[in-house]
């Protein structure tokens, strides 16, 4: 039998973390602090990879001693609309404040008062607060991780997980620069890849490998139908965080006030549906009046050059420098957004539906997932699609879930031996890794992205769904599946990475749409015009998907609402 | 969906520190091992986040955005 070393570069660790961003690094440090050998692998560069180094917002935070009952009640009834795993939510809430202390210890800059205590901003939405966080927070933690002995493997694209006797025992991938094949042997694997953004919105670059790696390894996914949309500037296609309450129609009416009842989430489906209605009924174009921003909302969406709110500095020099550069470039190239930019809505994505329990174990032994890969799948935020817990939420969700998952994986790894996958399996997965290099040049990955987007991503499939339009999009994606396998072609290793991203995007989109087709009611961003009402009698259910032969098997599972403290009147 | 016109790197000024390469999440910038300079190898994937410019100690890199940026939107 061939040795693994004959097949590629072999690296061995206790805990393998796939993804070196805002969730993966905390997971790695937490696992390391629990005594495990840890290796992070990222297809870019750990610390500056992922989305957090392009994050304009703050961090949604809980104070020490915050009323967690009130928080969990609000999240269950208003945000998650009863599709939460309320036990996991409670466990999450209890870990939030200790994680803030850890972030501080690990080198992240957070807002503080002169006496060194944490500084919080009041927010007009939800029972939570906001803190400022520095732009390169993940890179600060990367330095801490390295000091503590976490090893890094950069520019390696993981393409498959290794399994033996039903258990995940490592991963394989290729170096996007040298092309070398890499084999990782590990006692446990943590996926922290940051969800799928369908390449729809600028700077939301995550491609969703967590979903596809878990799914292809046999793990269940959950709540995939809920995909996030956001108010966007028509000129740039960029989403405008915090602007949704200041969108006006041509009659001068505030669209938020017209359609949204309090207590509402600060990013909500009613607003996006309301905007769609305004356009349909001829009251567009809509515009954002930035001069109407209240003092409190300036914390969320305020002028970056006036970063002192309530005596606390929300922005840090790295973020101010970066945002200033972006604004100057915008002004230079197209004159900037102006005071009243035209408002549309755009698909934001952040679809991360790997099903995990409250310790961030997936349904496959040895495999964990944390951060945005689990934003839907953990069900902590129920029907609320990403950003979990709302704007600024991922900055809290990622490190908190990363820490919990990192500690759990390290604990499980104790006393275990590394198990080798068979050489036959590794060889087969090596073929999958490089398959697109051997194809005959029929279709490149960029063309494939365009085709997936054209077939399945027009917003009708995401904002106003029906059985008819969903079936049409699903049919188109099913037709593309074989083409991706046999015709998708890469000219070099960069394009090979793109081919894997296209494969992942097609799979994720198909899962979202099939879950949406199964879910015959409307709730949050899942709006079916053929089933327009929320139905708490029949639909306190999770839509579950898992690999079934060559395709996607879909099932539903009752939310165990009887075991939970917060229930709708009908249940 | 291409979002930039071009990426300009002043080879005279570039000191080959690779900080821009390491700051790119989408593998747009590569390092030319012969010239020992950064190159904008795959501008098709650039999202003009400008974090590479922020990391350049010699201010020798500039990303020229394509405007209007295509918006993936659907309004009926």
């Amino acid at each position: 039998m061939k040795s693994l070393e004959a097949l590629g570069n072999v690296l061995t660790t206790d805990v393998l973390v796939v993804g070196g961003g805002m969730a993966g690094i905390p997971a790695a440090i937490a696992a390391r602090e629990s005594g495990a050998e840890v290796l992070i692998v990222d297809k870019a560069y750990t610390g500056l990879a992922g989305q957090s180094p392009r994050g304009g917002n703050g961090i949604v935070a809980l104070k020490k001693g915050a009323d967690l009952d009130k928080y969990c009640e609000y999240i269950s009834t208003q945000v998650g609309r009863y599709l939460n795993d309320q036990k996991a939510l409670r466990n999450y809430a209890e870990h939030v404040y200790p994680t803030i202390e850890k972030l501080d210890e690990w080198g992240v800059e957070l807002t503080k008062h002169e006496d060194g205590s944490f500084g919080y901003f009041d927010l007009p939405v939800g029972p939570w607060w906001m803190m400022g966080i520095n732009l390169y927070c993940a890179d600060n933690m990367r330095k801490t991780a390295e000091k503590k002995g976490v090893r890094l493997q950069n520019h390696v694209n993981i393409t498959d997980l290794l399994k033996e006797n039903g258990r995940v025992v490592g991963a394989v991938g290729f170096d996007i620069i040298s092309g070398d094949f890499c084999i990782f042997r590990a006692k446990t694997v943590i996926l922290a890849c940051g969800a799928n953004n369908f390449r729809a919105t600028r700077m939301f670059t995550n491609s969703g490998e967590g979903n596809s790696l878990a799914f292809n390894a046999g793990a269940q996914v959950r709540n995939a139908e809920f995909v996030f949309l956001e108010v966007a500037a028509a000129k740039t296609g960029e989403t405008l965080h915090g602007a949704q309450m200041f969108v006006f129609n041509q009659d001068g009416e505030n669209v938020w006030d017209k359609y949204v009842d309090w207590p509402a989430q600060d990013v909500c489906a009613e607003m996006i549906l309301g905007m769609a209605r305004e356009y349909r009924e001829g009251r567009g174009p809509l515009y954002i009046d930035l001069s109407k921003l209240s003092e409190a909302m300036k914390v969320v969406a305020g002028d970056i050059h006036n970063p002192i709110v309530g005596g606390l500095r929300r922005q840090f020099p790295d973020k101010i420098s970066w945002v200033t550069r972006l604004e100057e470039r915008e002004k230079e190239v197209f004159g900037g957004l102006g005071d009243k930019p035209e408002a549309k809505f755009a698909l934001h994505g952040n679809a991360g539906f790997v099903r995990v329990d409250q310790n961030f174990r997936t349904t496959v032994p040895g495999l964990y997932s944390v951060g945005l890969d689990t934003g839907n799948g953990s069900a902590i935020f129920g029907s609320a699609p990403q950003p979990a817990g709302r704007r600024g939420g991922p900055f809290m969700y990622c490190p908190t879930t990363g820490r919990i998952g990192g500690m759990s994986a390290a604990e499980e790894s104790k006393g275990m031996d590394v198990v080798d996958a068979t050489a036959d399996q590794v060889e087969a997965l090596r073929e999958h890794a490089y398959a697109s290099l051997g194809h005959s040049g029929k279709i490149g990955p960029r063309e494939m992205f365009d085709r997936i987007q054209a077939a399945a991503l027009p917003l009708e499939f995401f904002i106003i769904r029906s059985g008819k339009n969903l079936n049409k999009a699903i049919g188109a994606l099913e037709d593309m599946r074989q083409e991706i396998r046999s015709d998708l072609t890469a000219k070099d290793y960069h394009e090979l990475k793109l081919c894997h991203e296209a494969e992942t995007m097609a799979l994720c989109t198909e899962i979202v749409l099939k879950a949406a087709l199964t879910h015959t009611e409307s709730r949050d961003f899942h709006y079916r015009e053929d089933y327009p009402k929320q139905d708490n009698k029949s639909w306190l259910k999770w839509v579950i998907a898992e690999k079934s032969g060559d395709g996607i098997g879909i099932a539903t599972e009752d939310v165990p609402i009887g075991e939970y403290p917060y229930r709708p009147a009908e249940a | 969906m291409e979002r930039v016109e071009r990426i300009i790197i002043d080879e005279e000024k570039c000191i080959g520190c690779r900080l821009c390469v390491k700051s790119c999440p989408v593998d747009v910038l590569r390092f030319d091992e012969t010239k020992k300079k950064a190159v904008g190898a795959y501008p098709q994937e650039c999202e003009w986040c400008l974090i590479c410019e922020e990391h350049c100690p010699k201010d020798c890199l500039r990303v020229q955005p394509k405007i209007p940026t295509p918006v993936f939107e659907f309004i009926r």
Side-chain angles (χ1 to χ4, degrees):
Chain A
M1 192 176 117
K2 268 188 194 167
S3 75
L4 294 185
E5 282 75 10
L7 295 167
N9 304 329
V10 180
L11 287 167
T12 303
T13 184
D14 294 341
V15 178
L16 176 69
V17 180
V18 184
M22 199 60 195
I25 302 171
I29 302 176
R32 184 76 191 122
E33 287 182 347
S34 305
E37 292 292 323
V38 184
L39 176 69
I40 300 176
V41 56
D42 196 289
K43 63 182 170 178
Y45 291 82
T46 297
L48 291 166
Q51 291 177 178
S52 73
R54 287 142 208 95
N57 243 306
I59 179 167
V60 161
L62 293 175
K63 292 180 183 177
K64 189 176 190 177
D67 185 346
L68 298 185
D69 290 338
K70 192 176 160 196
Y71 175 79
C72 291
E73 182 180 9
Y74 180 79
I75 298 288
S76 302
T77 59
Q78 299 300 322
V79 177
R81 306 188 197 198
Y82 304 106
L83 293 194
N84 311 72
D85 177 335
Q86 293 183 25
K87 289 178 183 169
L89 167 62
R90 181 76 198 195
N91 184 54
Y92 168 77
E94 284 169 3
H95 278 84
V96 167
Y97 183 76
T99 301
I100 293 170
E101 289 187 321
K102 277 288 179 186
L103 292 177
D104 184 43
E105 185 188 317
W106 293 341
V108 171
E109 291 178 55
L110 297 160
T111 39
K112 284 184 178 173
H113 293 285
E114 277 175 15
D115 66 2
S117 60
F118 291 127
Y120 294 86
F121 301 97
D122 289 331
L123 270 182
V125 281
W128 49 54
W129 294 265
M130 187 167 260
M131 299 173 87
I133 187 166
N134 72 310
L135 188 63
Y136 302 126
C137 48
D139 207 38
N140 293 9
M141 289 193 284
R142 186 265 306 162
K143 289 173 194 157
T144 302
E146 285 197 284
K147 266 186 214 143
K148 287 178 182 280
V150 171
R151 288 183 296 157
L152 309 182
Q153 174 61 64
N154 289 323
H155 50 79
V156 166
N157 188 161
I158 295 296
T159 51
D160 278 294
L161 297 171
L162 293 168
K163 274 177 87 178
E164 215 46 60
N165 295 322
R167 184 181 171 85
V168 167
V169 296
V172 296
F174 65 94
D175 185 312
I176 65 169
I177 297 172
S178 69
D180 291 348
F181 189 59
C182 303
I183 303 159
F184 299 90
R185 303 158 77 235
K187 295 173 182 172
T188 53
V189 176
I190 303 176
L191 300 173
C193 308
N196 188 297
N197 293 313
F198 309 101
R199 302 179 93 84
T201 304
R202 185 179 143 228
M203 286 198 262
F204 286 81
T205 51
N206 289 347
S207 47
E209 289 84 354
N211 293 314
S212 54
L213 289 169
F215 181 87
N216 288 330
Q220 287 184 356
V221 301
R222 172 166 61 174
N223 276 342
E225 63 272 37
F226 301 103
V227 175
F228 175 55
L229 295 108
E230 172 66 299
V231 178
K235 228 174 197 173
T236 59
E238 248 184 286
T239 52
L240 291 169
H241 295 294
Q244 73 287 344
M245 290 169 199
F246 313 99
V247 176
F248 294 83
N249 66 16
Q250 286 300 313
D251 296 338
E253 292 175 294
N254 181 318
V255 180
W256 175 274
D257 291 344
K258 194 169 170 179
Y259 293 101
V260 182
D261 292 324
W262 286 92
Q265 308 155 41
D266 61 338
V267 182
C268 72
E270 287 76 6
M271 177 61 185
I272 300 294
L273 286 165
M275 287 177 72
R277 192 163 160 189
E278 290 297 302
Y279 271 106
R280 276 181 170 187
E281 296 176 1
R283 286 182 293 275
L286 307 176
Y287 65 93
I288 299 159
D289 189 345
L290 293 168
S291 69
K292 297 278 194 333
L293 241 60
S294 64
E295 279 305 306
M297 281 310 286
K298 280 180 185 164
V299 174
V300 181
D303 181 356
I304 193 97
H305 305 295
N306 176 22
I308 310 288
V309 186
L312 281 169
R313 173 173 282 274
R314 186 169 83 84
Q315 303 295 0
F316 292 88
D318 51 6
K319 203 171 280 184
I320 293 171
S321 166
W322 172 60
V323 174
T324 304
R325 183 183 293 273
L326 281 172
E327 285 177 353
E328 281 172 2
R329 192 64 42 88
E330 286 168 4
K331 275 193 192 124
E332 218 175 287
V333 180
F334 62 90
L337 284 180
D339 293 336
K340 292 185 178 175
E342 187 184 337
K344 292 193 174 180
F345 49 89
L347 179 65
H348 205 297
N350 270 338
F353 30 73
V354 182
R355 182 179 191 168
V356 284
D357 66 13
Q358 66 174 30
N359 292 313
F360 294 84
R361 285 190 198 98
T362 70
T363 55
V364 172
L367 184 63
Y368 290 73
S369 186
V370 297
L372 294 185
D373 281 337
T374 68
N376 298 45
S378 72
I380 287 174
F381 293 98
S383 66
Q386 299 287 0
R390 298 312 166 189
R391 60 184 78 266
F395 274 106
M396 196 68 257
Y397 185 77
C398 289
T400 303
T401 60
R403 260 188 79 231
I404 302 170
M407 291 187 288
S408 313
E411 194 56 41
E412 187 181 338
S413 300
K414 277 178 191 162
M416 278 183 60
D417 291 323
V418 173
V419 176
D420 265 332
T422 62
D424 284 352
Q425 183 190 168
V426 174
E427 263 189 308
L429 296 179
R430 188 170 68 168
E431 265 179 45
H432 173 237
Y434 297 107
S436 295
L437 281 176
H439 293 160
S440 55
K442 286 181 190 154
I443 180 166
R446 298 179 186 96
E447 191 188 337
M448 187 53 86
F449 291 135
D450 290 346
R451 284 177 52 184
I452 297 167
Q453 287 184 329
L457 292 180
L459 292 187
E460 60 184 325
F461 306 127
F462 285 90
I463 188 67
I464 301 169
R465 294 165 162 165
S466 68
K468 199 176 157 194
N469 68 25
L470 288 167
N471 272 313
K472 190 177 143 205
I474 289 165
L477 284 167
E478 283 176 341
D479 289 346
M480 271 180 235
R481 215 193 270 162
Q482 187 51 42
E483 217 175 345
I484 287 173
R485 258 176 230 157
S486 54
D487 296 346
L488 192 59
T489 304
K491 288 200 208 74
D492 58 20
Y493 296 118
H494 172 84
E495 285 198 4
L496 186 61
K497 174 183 89 104
L498 297 182
C499 288
H500 284 282
E501 291 174 357
E503 190 182 327
T504 289
M505 185 160 116
L507 174 67
C508 289
T509 311
E510 198 179 325
I511 292 171
V512 168
L513 298 177
K514 284 189 168 161
L517 183 64
T518 306
H519 196 148
T520 49
E521 61 140 10
S522 290
R523 193 177 295 257
D524 209 301
F525 279 90
H526 174 61
Y527 178 74
R528 289 278 303 253
E529 64 184 348
D530 41 358
Y531 301 94
K533 294 263 185 291
Q534 182 167 318
D535 177 1
N536 285 336
K537 276 201 174 134
S538 312
W539 269 104
L540 293 183
K541 286 186 170 76
W542 288 312
V543 178
I544 309 285
E546 67 184 320
K547 198 172 172 68
S548 170
D550 201 23
I552 298 164
I554 301 271
T556 62
E557 183 179 310
D558 289 341
V559 175
I561 198 79
E563 297 172 18
Y564 294 156
Y566 310 111
R567 299 167 208 162
E570 300 91 327
Chain B
M1 195 189 286
E2 292 180 21
R3 292 187 168 110
V4 304
E5 292 288 346
R6 60 188 177 280
I7 296 164
I8 307 151
I9 297 171
D10 185 340
E11 284 195 10
E12 297 291 307
K13 282 175 146 179
C14 175
I15 54 168
C17 70
R18 300 175 197 241
L19 287 175
C20 61
V21 178
K22 290 184 179 174
S23 74
C24 181
V26 283
D27 193 32
V28 167
L29 299 163
R30 285 287 182 98
F31 192 71
D32 184 328
E33 294 290 350
T34 318
K35 287 184 179 171
K36 302 287 175 202
K37 306 279 178 192
V39 282
Y42 302 102
Q44 302 99 310
E45 273 68 64
C46 179
E47 307 254 332
W48 61 286
C49 73
L50 310 188
I51 294 291
C52 54
E53 291 186 22
E54 285 287 294
H55 277 77
C56 178
K58 293 290 166 186
D59 202 20
C60 67
L61 184 112
R62 189 189 150 88
V63 179
Q64 188 67 26
K66 183 183 277 186
I67 295 291
T69 294
V71 185
F72 216 89
E73 47 115 350
F74 184 93
I75 293 166
R76 288 190 291 190

